[in-house]
Amino acid sequence: MGGSKTSVVLLSIVLFSGTSSDAHSLSYNFTIDPQPRDDHPWCEVQGEVDQKVFLSYDCGTAKIKYMSPLGEEVKSMSAWEAQTVTLRDTGDLLQGQMPDGTPEKHTDKVGSGPLTLQARMTCWREDNGHTNASWEFGFNGQLCLLFDSENGHWTMVHPGGRQMREKWENDRAVTDFFKKVSMGDCRAWLQAFLVRWEKMLKTSVPPTTVHATVQPAAPASNHRTTIVLVVLIVFVIISIVAWILYKRRRRCSQEAQQVLCCPEDSVFPWLPLFSCIHFRGKR
């Protein structure tokens, strides 16, 4: 299970850094509702690149809404058409994998209301060019399961996912499908789309920059605190050195005092730290 936890940490770093021009991520958020209300799709997919939404896809009607210029930029590519087919197939599989009953009622979120499955597939490219992928699964907004696509490990993060974990761990076809779509299709889309996206992504404002602009008080406060600490440390060091020099002066011999040390009646005994000039009297 340690490998999957490491991958989750790496994923969080890539998704929230927003500072590298080489690291990028592509995510698809699936929402499967077996009992949709009127005018609500049973399967809806939201696509994101570097946390920027670029499409919304209805699995039932196969309709795509372009949510930003990023989607418009790549909709003419051949990989785009293949993407919609794969997303629909993934939605069909997830619907067929819905548990027969409600997951264990360990929280209000998992156990209340109609059961809705959320799945998030993410693939990302790191600074060094290495690519990886993972899945997250939850019910009614509660994250329950993690799947590391690279090593095939499942991690249960909430007891409500025990039923699905036991089911999928023993189903080689489902596990292979999750690995193929995330490690194969998703990574291929990311590489293909970045050819058209990278220039647009470089000119857009990273999420972390926007957050810092909205809340500038914390960085300024940290800066002031650092200055105060530096001043305090310097003051302490100067005081210690002055005290050592003062004690040493008191132990000076009368002859050394005439040459190096300040007079005993000096009003400021710490002046030897800076300068103290004496002249030997003529014999």
Side-chain angles (χ1 to χ4, degrees):
M1 298 301 173
S4 59
K5 293 181 179 178
T6 302
S7 297
V8 173
V9 173
L10 290 174
L11 173 60
S12 301
I13 293 173
V14 171
L15 289 179
F16 294 103
S17 62
T19 58
S20 172
S21 60
D22 296 325
H24 296 285
S25 64
L26 182 63
S27 301
Y28 294 90
N29 302 301
F30 296 82
T31 301
I32 310 297
D33 186 354
Q35 301 177 6
R37 294 172 294 173
D38 295 339
D39 301 328
H40 283 74
W42 64 268
C43 168
E44 187 175 9
V45 186
Q46 187 178 71
E48 300 177 359
V49 57
D50 293 353
Q51 302 180 78
K52 302 175 181 65
V53 178
F54 67 94
L55 71 80
S56 177
Y57 178 71
D58 185 330
C59 302
T61 61
K63 291 183 179 180
I64 292 182
K65 294 180 181 179
Y66 305 106
M67 311 300 290
S68 74
L70 292 167
E72 297 283 352
E73 181 68 21
V74 295
K75 68 178 182 180
S76 61
M77 299 178 62
S78 58
W80 189 263
E81 185 176 352
Q83 171 193 233
T84 58
V85 174
T86 303
L87 293 180
R88 184 176 65 249
D89 292 343
T90 304
D92 290 337
L93 180 136
L94 291 173
Q95 184 189 39
Q97 293 296 314
M98 291 285 286
D100 298 331
T102 303
E104 301 166 64
K105 299 181 179 181
H106 292 277
T107 67
D108 293 337
K109 286 185 177 181
V110 174
S112 62
L115 183 64
T116 301
L117 169 65
Q118 291 89 30
R120 178 181 176 88
M121 174 180 67
T122 302
C123 57
W124 65 94
R125 185 182 73 185
E126 300 171 12
D127 292 337
N128 58 9
H130 178 71
T131 55
N132 208 336
S134 68
W135 283 86
E136 300 175 8
F137 300 93
F139 297 99
N140 290 6
Q142 174 66 60
L143 177 64
C144 296
L145 282 176
L146 302 176
F147 178 67
D148 189 317
S149 301
E150 188 170 44
N151 57 33
H153 287 173
W154 290 92
T155 301
M156 185 177 67
V157 297
H158 185 274
R162 180 178 291 109
Q163 181 179 349
M164 296 304 291
R165 175 187 172 182
E166 294 174 352
K167 179 179 180 179
W168 286 341
E169 275 188 328
N170 298 318
D171 193 330
R172 181 68 177 270
V174 172
T175 301
D176 288 346
F177 180 86
F178 288 147
K179 292 179 67 174
K180 174 184 176 295
V181 173
S182 57
M183 294 292 288
D185 297 304
C186 184
R187 294 200 303 179
W189 301 336
L190 177 60
Q191 293 173 4
F193 296 157
L194 282 179
V195 175
R196 306 276 288 272
W197 274 345
E198 283 200 296
K199 184 177 180 180
M200 300 176 67
L201 293 172
K202 288 179 181 178
T203 58
S204 61
V205 179
T208 51
T209 303
V210 175
H211 181 73
T213 303
V214 174
Q215 297 180 346
S221 176
N222 291 338
H223 183 63
R224 288 194 295 269
T225 302
T226 302
I227 294 176
V228 172
L229 289 175
V230 171
V231 172
L232 180 60
I233 292 172
V234 172
F235 175 77
V236 170
I237 293 174
I238 291 177
S239 299
I240 293 173
V241 173
W243 175 253
I244 293 174
L245 292 176
Y246 173 70
K247 295 293 288 185
R248 183 175 298 175
R249 182 187 64 82
R250 292 178 61 88
R251 290 194 295 266
C252 288
S253 64
Q254 186 64 31
E255 182 179 356
Q257 286 180 2
Q258 294 176 357
V259 178
L260 299 175
C261 299
C262 291
E264 283 288 336
D265 57 350
S266 173
V267 178
F268 303 105
W270 43 266
L271 283 178
L273 177 64
F274 303 98
S275 64
C276 189
I277 302 174
H278 297 265
F279 299 91
R280 184 187 297 273
K282 294 183 179 180
R283 292 182 180 273

